[in-house]
Amino acid sequence: MLWGAMAPVLRFAPSPTGLIHIGNARTALLNALLARREGGTFILRFDDTDAERSRAEYAEATERDLAWLGIPPDRVHRQSDRLAIYRDAADRLRAAGRLYPAYETAEELERRRRLQLARGEPPIYDRAALRLNAADRARLGSEGRRPHWRFRLEARTVAWNDRVRGPSHVDCASLSDPVLVREDESFLYTLPSVADDLAMGITDVIRGEDHVTNTAVQIQIAEALGGSPPAFGHHNLRTTTGGEGRSKRSGALALKSLRESGYEPMAIASLAVLVGSAEAVRAVASLDELARLVDLAHLSRAPAKFDERELEALNARLVHEMPYSAIRDRLAELGVDGGEPFWLAVRANLTRWTEAAEWWPVVAGPIRPVRDDPDLAETALGLLPPGPWTGETWRDWTRAVAEATGRKGRALFMPLRLALTGLDHGPDLAALLPLIGPERAQARLAGEVA
Ligand code: GLU
């Protein structure tokens, strides 16, 4: 037990500015599964203080995606409902002399930055605003300039024991004082996140390694607010096989598109959690089992590569073993009503369950048979046994056809498959034949669309 007697409280805190993708799913799952395993709480918090870019429809889509993955949150919060808490935190930082007004425009800052770079200096904010006195500020105010607000960092090294990366530190002397409040008084992500983590009693923040620098800043802010910061763990980021990350807004590898193209949630969860871990990537059957495999301390720090082919392989494994009871309703939605025998006949040939729809006409018709060996088809037609057909019918029938024609192996089976299904590949015909049934089989062997 890592948390002593305290039940952990974890959160997934996306900005609802796009659809969540498999990389976000990694973050969400690590937090949710740790909470589940330790009997803790999993909070979904929408970091939506950027009113311009945040969209209710993305928040809804995120909730839907998490529910589909099997990790609905215990609670949902929206930062846009909690602005009073952040204003109060900002006031406390001001009172403590840690939040100061600055008036530079973006152009001024950019000019100074270039100058610093030209002089070979690090491009750190020079704190010119700290040298303004009350009269300067009054003058700027009377000119109609409104300040943004920066957090005054202490020039010290902030260290923490990262739950993924081990002992970590950032020298804050090398950072610019971060802007926490914009000119229009809206909040950037940094302060609300800290205020909420403290107010919600978050014990652990597991997030992407792009937040390592933020963590040092946020630890200083938490301390300035008199709080004790949570533990932090930074996992590696998803990249595609090509090595380049894909953006949340591009829709690429979005959970929604993966769901719509027929992937199983457990295939995605298994890959999202196990890739780059000490465990072999495999199709895990349940979230409880997956939760037992989470081991933050042994996550690789190398970029985790999400490979869609790997996802397909995991998915196929799950589909090949999926019982009919787990798929019945979905098949019905597709208009496939072949019952359990159909599902058991085709599942081994599927990568994704949705492909069952492609096999349905083979059983239920109509398809155009391929009769590339009319003589064989004629003989076989004459030897078709009367119904009802069973799992043995195929074997008995093809034995009889083999005896009558002297054919065997591929020369026997391929023309029959082509005639019965119109395709040169597919599920085991012993299982398919009874589903096709005598009437359709006769017609197809005679070369008719049926
Ligand atoms: N909204 C931030 C993000 O999506 C949250 C980071 C965090 O977990 O604190 O990157």
Side-chain angles (χ1 to χ4, degrees):
M1 182 74 178
L2 282 150
W3 292 275
M6 192 168 58
V9 184
L10 296 102
R11 81 323 189 260
F12 172 52
S15 307
T17 54
L19 293 170
I20 62 167
H21 55 56
I22 191 161
N24 306 121
R26 181 170 175 80
T27 310
L29 281 157
L30 289 173
N31 284 287
L33 295 182
L34 284 172
R36 174 183 294 227
R37 190 174 73 191
E38 311 293 338
T41 304
F42 173 54
I43 293 175
L44 171 61
R45 191 178 73 215
F46 289 113
D47 285 0
D48 61 351
T49 55
D50 184 341
E52 218 151 277
R53 290 178 53 225
S54 299
R55 297 265 181 285
E57 76 219 54
Y58 290 131
E60 280 157 27
T62 297
E63 289 197 56
R64 215 167 24 244
D65 288 342
L66 295 187
W68 178 70
L69 275 179
I71 50 167
D74 298 309
R75 291 209 307 268
V76 182
H77 292 289
R78 286 180 172 65
Q79 291 195 324
S80 51
D81 294 336
R82 301 168 57 83
L83 298 178
I85 295 172
Y86 316 140
R87 285 189 198 114
D88 173 65
D91 285 343
R92 281 153 59 206
L93 292 177
R94 271 185 206 104
R98 297 295 296 275
L99 192 64
Y100 62 91
Y103 294 81
E104 291 90 348
T105 62
E107 295 74 43
E108 271 171 288
L109 290 172
E110 179 57 23
R111 202 161 45 240
R112 276 192 222 164
R113 206 181 68 90
R114 281 211 223 102
L115 217 71
Q116 286 171 314
L117 287 173
R119 290 198 207 112
E121 296 168 5
I124 299 172
Y125 176 61
D126 62 7
R127 291 182 160 169
L130 271 183
R131 293 187 292 274
L132 298 174
N133 58 32
D136 296 328
R137 289 202 283 266
R139 180 179 44 78
L140 286 162
S142 70
E143 286 168 15
R145 308 254 308 239
R146 297 176 61 191
H148 51 272
W149 296 80
R150 289 188 186 260
F151 179 69
R152 190 168 55 74
L153 283 169
E154 288 170 352
R156 59 180 167 99
T157 293
V158 172
W160 69 95
N161 193 7
D162 197 285
R163 294 200 53 198
V164 177
R165 300 153 66 97
S168 303
H169 65 269
V170 169
D171 179 7
C172 290
S174 65
L175 303 178
S176 295
D177 288 341
V179 177
L180 300 190
V181 188
R182 298 188 187 90
E183 247 172 59
D184 64 2
E185 292 177 10
S186 67
F187 291 93
L188 284 105
Y189 139 82
T190 316
L191 175 61
S193 186
V194 175
D196 279 342
D197 288 345
L198 295 177
M200 295 174 187
I202 302 294
T203 54
D204 300 81
V205 172
I206 311 301
R207 58 185 179 182
E209 64 188 0
D210 50 337
H211 286 290
V212 166
T213 305
N214 286 339
T215 291
V217 169
Q218 290 183 321
I219 287 175
Q220 281 211 17
I221 296 175
E223 289 170 353
L225 288 170
S228 60
F232 288 91
H234 297 88
H235 64 77
N236 50 8
L237 290 176
R238 176 199 65 92
T239 56
T240 63
T241 31
E244 89 275 13
R246 283 201 227 170
S247 107
K248 188 152 74 172
R249 262 159 295 157
S250 73
L253 290 184
L255 251 50
K256 179 169 182 281
S257 14
L258 293 171
R259 174 172 67 242
E260 286 168 357
S261 49
Y263 285 106
E264 299 305 315
M266 277 313 301
I268 291 169
S270 300
L271 186 62
V273 168
L274 296 180
V275 70
S277 78
E279 292 288 330
V281 175
R282 58 185 183 274
V284 176
S286 75
L287 286 175
D288 285 332
E289 191 183 337
L290 193 56
R292 284 194 287 276
L293 301 176
V294 172
D295 180 4
L296 294 178
H298 291 95
L299 278 185
S300 158
R301 290 182 57 174
K305 295 231 197 305
F306 286 101
D307 181 342
E308 199 164 344
R309 276 164 314 182
E310 205 168 0
L311 184 60
E312 282 184 356
L314 295 178
N315 203 76
R317 290 204 69 104
L318 291 171
V319 170
H320 295 171
E321 278 160 28
M322 189 172 293
Y324 177 61
S325 57
I327 197 78
R328 181 176 32 214
D329 296 347
R330 287 193 260 167
L331 289 176
E333 265 171 47
L334 271 190
V336 170
D337 67 357
E340 184 163 28
F342 172 73
W343 175 247
L344 296 182
V346 300
R347 67 178 181 179
N349 282 70
L350 312 179
T351 303
R352 297 173 242 191
W353 75 277
T354 39
E355 293 156 10
E358 294 162 28
W359 294 109
W360 181 235
V362 167
V363 164
I367 56 118
R368 179 174 301 281
V370 175
R371 203 161 170 262
D372 71 342
D373 193 335
D375 290 345
L376 181 79
E378 269 322 305
T379 311
L381 177 57
L383 290 169
L384 271 181
W389 287 357
T390 68
E392 267 82 66
T393 305
W394 168 256
R395 191 198 54 204
D396 298 344
W397 176 50
T398 51
R399 263 189 204 153
V401 178
E403 258 165 47
T405 60
R407 301 279 191 96
K408 53 184 196 300
R410 193 181 157 85
L412 170 65
F413 296 119
M414 187 52 79
L416 293 178
R417 179 177 285 282
L418 286 168
L420 288 169
T421 70
L423 297 166
D424 62 4
H425 64 282
D428 181 13
L429 276 163
L432 280 189
L433 189 62
L435 295 168
I436 293 171
E439 204 176 309
R440 243 185 300 276
Q442 280 166 13
R444 290 176 185 176
L445 286 165
E448 293 160 19
V449 173

